[in-house]
Amino acid sequence: MGLLIIRLLNLLNNAPTDSTNYYIGLTMINHYDQIQTLSIGEFAALCHVSKSTVSKFARTLGFDDYGDLKDNAAFIENRFNNPLNYRSNILSALEQEGVDSYFDAVIQDIDYLRHHLDLPAIERIAQAIVSHKNVFAFGILFSESAAIDFQIKLAYNGKFIRTFQDDLVQEEIIKSADEESLFIIFTKYGDYLTKQQIRN
C-alpha cells in the first residue's frame, strides 16, 4: 500500500465535503487506476481545475509535486516480501486452502501468544504510560486501527493518549518529541519508521 492512498483516504475522512481538496481527492480515488498514466494537464481537466491547483493539491498531501504523487500511486504486490500481505495473496491462499486453514493459522497465533507473552515487558509499558506526560500511539492503516482502539480503552480508564491517522502529522510529532514524550508504535513487522519513510 502506497503513501498516496493512505494520504488520500485521510484527506477524504477529514476535509469538508464542499472543499476543492475534497473534490480533487474524490476524483483521484474514483480514477485511481489511471493516476500513473495521466499527465498533470489531463488530471486537471478531469477535475475541471487548473494545473497549478493540482500542483498545490499534491503539496497539500505532502508530495514535492504531481510527479512525486504519481510515483506513490503504484500498488506493488508483496512490496515487503510478506507472502500473506496484500489482496491477491490473501485471496489466493483462501481460494487454495480454504477458510478452515485461515482459522487454524489464527488459532496457532493466539496459542503462541498465550505461551510467549512477556508480562514483565507489558508491566514496564504500563508504568511508562502512566508516568509520561505526553503519550502517543501511532500506526499506519490497520495498525492505526489498533492505536485508535488502544486510545479508546485507555480513555475509559482515565488516561488520555494521542493518535493521528495522518502520517505527516505523525512524522512532525516524532520530530518535535521531548523527554516527556512516549511513543507506542503499532506495526506488524517492526518497520514502521523505514516503511513510512519517516526521517531519522
Side-chain angles (χ1 to χ4, degrees), residues 64-131:
D64 293 335
D65 52 30
Y66 182 73
D68 186 27
L69 179 147
K70 282 176 62 169
D71 289 344
N72 282 276
F75 175 83
I76 302 172
E77 184 69 44
N78 201 14
R79 178 185 224 159
F80 300 105
N81 299 314
N82 172 21
L84 291 175
N85 198 10
Y86 291 108
R87 57 186 179 193
S88 63
N89 297 74
I90 298 285
L91 291 174
S92 174
L94 285 172
E95 288 170 357
Q96 292 173 10
E97 300 173 27
V99 176
D100 286 342
S101 176
Y102 173 78
F103 283 112
D104 288 343
V106 171
I107 290 166
Q108 279 182 330
D109 285 346
I110 292 170
D111 192 53
Y112 181 89
L113 178 63
R114 179 177 64 173
H115 290 101
H116 294 88
L117 190 61
D118 187 348
L119 290 174
I122 292 173
E123 178 80 20
R124 289 191 301 275
I125 292 170
Q127 289 173 353
I129 290 169
V130 170
S131 65

Side-chain angles (χ1 to χ4, degrees), residues 14 39 45 52 62-63 92 95 126 175 189 195:
N14 294 291
S39 70
S52 63
F63 298 107
S92 174
E95 288 170 357
K175 285 175 14 183
Y189 306 106
K195 188 173 179 180

Side-chain angles (χ1 to χ4, degrees), residues 27-28 31 34-51 54 66 70:
T27 303
M28 194 167 278
H31 297 86
Q34 300 170 39
I35 297 303
Q36 285 188 282
T37 59
L38 291 174
S39 70
I40 188 169
E42 291 168 330
F43 182 71
L46 185 66
C47 294
H48 308 288
V49 297
S50 67
K51 290 193 289 188
V54 173
Y66 182 73
K70 282 176 62 169

Side-chain angles (χ1 to χ4, degrees), residues 73 103 132 135 171:
F103 283 112
H132 279 79
V135 181
E171 181 177 345

